[in-house]
């Protein structure tokens, strides 16, 4: 910015869109000074570097404002987890599925997990079968994001809320 620019020549553009072409850095600084603005490098790696005459403090303020607006418009995704085991009773499945349905109705993402203990690791398809048994109960309330897959000691399946 301003005196920190070491290049001999710059491709200079004005704040209002005026193109000054390739001029010496001293001339660009002089032009910026006459307008009461700053000379800011936009693309320092260019040949020659690209500089713009602008009000730097106003530019920084607008950048901060854009960042705040982007953060405000971000949607926070809440992920809820429902854990099952390979040897789970039917009434326990129904109870946990009821909670998963509540989460999906609130708009949360649900991760269904089956924890594999000890020798159950030799048969991960048993965990996938539990999740395949759970899926028909959830299918009216959400969309399956991923098929049941083995990740470490868990068999996971992601369910997203239905889009309206």
């Amino acid at each position: 910015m301003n005196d920190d620019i070491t290049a001999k020549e710059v491709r200079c553009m004005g704040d209002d869109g005026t193109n000054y072409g390739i001029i010496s850095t001293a001339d660009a600084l002089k032009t910026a000074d006459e307008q009461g603005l700053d000379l800011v490098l936009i693309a320092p790696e260019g040949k020659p570097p690209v500089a713009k005459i602008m009000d730097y403090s106003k530019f920084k303020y607008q950048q901060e404002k854009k960042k705040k607006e982007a953060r405000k418009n971000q949607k926070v995704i809440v992920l809820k987890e429902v854990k099952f085991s390979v040897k789970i009773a039917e009434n326990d499945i129904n109870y946990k599925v009821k909670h998963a349905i509540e989460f999906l109705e609130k708009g949360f993402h649900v991760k269904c997990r089956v924890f594999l203990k000890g020798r159950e690791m030799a048969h991960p398809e048993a965990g996938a079968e539990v999740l395949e048994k759970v899926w028909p109960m959830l299918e009216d309330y959400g969309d399956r994001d991923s098929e049941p897959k083995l990740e470490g000691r868990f068999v996971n399946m992601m369910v997203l809320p239905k889009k309206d």
Side-chain angles (χ1 to χ4, degrees), residues 2 30-31 100 103 126:
N2 292 337
K30 189 172 135 192
T31 307
F103 295 144

Side-chain angles (χ1 to χ4, degrees), residues 57-73:
S57 58
K58 181 180 175 183
F59 173 72
K60 288 294 272 183
Y61 171 74
Q62 287 173 339
Q63 292 295 96
E64 287 296 318
K65 206 168 157 184
K66 282 180 188 173
K67 281 183 186 174
K68 280 184 184 175
E69 192 66 31
R71 273 197 302 267
K72 190 164 68 170
N73 291 338

